[in-house]
Amino acid sequence: MKIQVNGAWREVADAQLARALEDLGYGGCVVTTALNGEFVAVQARERTALAEGDRLEVLAPMQGG
Amino acid sequence: MLELYGTALKSRLLLGTARYPSPAVLAAAVRAAGCEVVTVALRRESAGERAGQGFWSLIRELGVHVLPNTAGCHSVKEAITTAHMAREVFGTRWIKLEVIGEDDTLQPDVFGLTEAARILCAEGFEVFPYTTEDLVVAERLLQAGCQVLMPWGAPIGSGRGLNNLLGLRALRAHFARVPLIVDAGIGVPSHAAQALELGYDAVLVNTAIAQAGDPVQMATAFAQAVQAGHAAHAAGPIEARDFASPSTPVIGTAFRG
């Protein structure tokens, strides 16, 4: 299915968020996620299912003022 | 000693971590300033570049308190979601709450800010609201549960210093016991010293140090200015006056009478 990851359309094979993150290359990364504007905690990733057209944000620590 | 939500701090200079020429210079500036609190943000991570991973390692090595921000958020909803994400990644209840209302000045949307502050405080966050010097807004933020306020000096990155001295003085006088941190707009160390002389508890500086010709030297200068300003406030500055008042004793002046 196609979803938007950080604003770019990507094809993901697995609907489960935790596995999709692995497939997208985020394995081992310190990241935090939001799906369609709602925060999804690390513990909830395994029970979170992605659907066609979903908007996924994958954020990490960055410089800030 | 400065105390923010129960955390005692020796340094009254908080640093932003953005816009430094390199991570090494950032680390050196933080150390040179003796800084104990740095602000950080969340941004989209590329699985290829993994830029955030290296940055997070660097910050952890510095061993300082981390104050995540909600920079770039323009709505209550965005700010709250960002706060939740920041709490998970950074492992802190602290959040520097920014809800931007106007893009040219990056002026806070104080209506959204108070609403977001109320929600986040109720959820157990320790909120550092980026606000204006408006007394009524400040009162609302305290009612919402904020125990620290961060009024702007001038628009973010403008380097204009304390734009509304009268308003900042009034805020300080009105909320004598609330930790007040001037956030945004500070350009040179004298601005920071002035904030501390007014009785402000601390300043948060980013661009003025990060974009200086020599950020490490500038960080040192800011640390000295903050110390001087704080000491001056404690020492009790004289009142300004409109006319001269001779400092040399007038009694015994030669050639008179």
Side-chain angles (χ1 to χ4, degrees):
Chain A
M1 84 189 92
K2 279 199 162 179
I3 63 166
Q4 280 190 54
V5 181
N6 289 343
W9 287 102
R10 299 284 300 270
E11 184 72 34
V12 291
D14 207 307
Q16 192 214 57
L17 176 56
R19 283 197 293 271
L21 285 171
E22 292 278 338
D23 293 345
L24 288 165
Y26 291 105
C29 278
V30 176
V31 289
T32 180
T33 53
L35 188 59
N36 300 323
E38 302 289 339
F39 169 56
V40 181
V42 172
Q43 304 89 320
R45 286 179 195 165
E46 286 188 4
R47 61 173 186 272
T48 299
L50 300 169
E52 184 77 27
D54 272 354
R55 289 173 293 110
L56 177 65
E57 295 287 338
V58 185
L59 309 187
M62 209 61 74
Q63 294 85 345
Chain B
M1 192 173 280
L2 175 62
E3 194 173 307
L4 302 176
Y5 287 104
T7 298
L9 300 164
K10 292 195 191 90
S11 170
R12 293 172 181 273
L13 175 58
L14 289 68
L15 294 185
T17 55
R19 308 183 73 183
Y20 278 84
S22 73
V25 172
L26 162 63
V30 168
R31 292 196 179 102
C35 165
E36 294 171 288
V37 178
V38 297
T39 56
V40 291
L42 286 173
R43 286 291 178 266
R44 287 172 166 173
E45 180 77 323
S46 153
E49 293 170 17
R50 297 190 169 205
Q53 309 306 304
F55 173 71
W56 185 219
S57 300
L58 174 83
I59 295 299
R60 276 183 299 183
E61 282 168 23
L62 288 172
V64 292
H65 297 282
V66 171
L67 176 56
N69 69 27
T70 63
C73 291
H74 284 68
S75 70
V76 173
K77 167 90 174 150
E78 286 171 10
I80 286 173
T81 302
T82 304
H84 286 148
M85 298 173 87
R87 180 166 62 178
E88 178 179 85
V89 162
F90 296 109
T92 176
R93 286 190 289 175
W94 284 9
I95 191 77
K96 182 188 153 189
L97 184 60
E98 295 183 33
V99 182
I100 298 302
E102 205 283 315
D103 277 332
D104 288 332
T105 57
L106 295 177
Q107 182 163 346
D109 166 3
V110 295
F111 307 100
L113 180 70
T114 48
E115 173 66 7
R118 186 184 60 74
I119 293 166
L120 291 172
C121 288
E123 291 181 4
F125 281 90
E126 294 172 340
V127 176
F128 296 64
Y130 163 62
T131 184
T132 66
E133 67 280 5
D134 189 297
L135 289 183
V136 180
V137 174
E139 186 63 52
R140 295 284 168 87
L141 289 167
L142 297 176
Q143 285 170 0
C146 297
Q147 294 176 28
V148 175
L149 300 175
M150 300 183 87
W152 66 348
I156 294 170
S158 69
R160 294 285 180 173
L162 308 185
N163 196 30
N164 179 1
L165 265 182
L166 197 65
L168 288 168
R169 273 186 213 277
L171 188 71
R172 179 67 288 178
H174 203 73
F175 301 104
R177 294 180 180 280
V178 178
L180 298 179
I181 302 169
V182 171
D183 174 14
I186 288 187
V188 286
S190 55
H191 296 153
Q194 188 180 26
L196 274 288
E197 285 166 8
L198 290 180
Y200 275 75
D201 294 279
V203 292
L204 170 52
V205 181
N206 193 155
T207 307
I209 294 175
Q211 296 280 293
D214 181 343
V216 179
Q217 193 172 5
M218 190 60 86
T220 305
F222 264 98
Q224 291 167 343
V226 164
Q227 282 176 13
H230 180 61
H233 178 70
I238 63 163
E239 290 293 325
R241 47 189 297 156
D242 290 334
F243 294 101
S245 166
S247 49
T248 302
V250 176
I251 297 170
T253 304
F255 317 121
R256 294 282 173 92

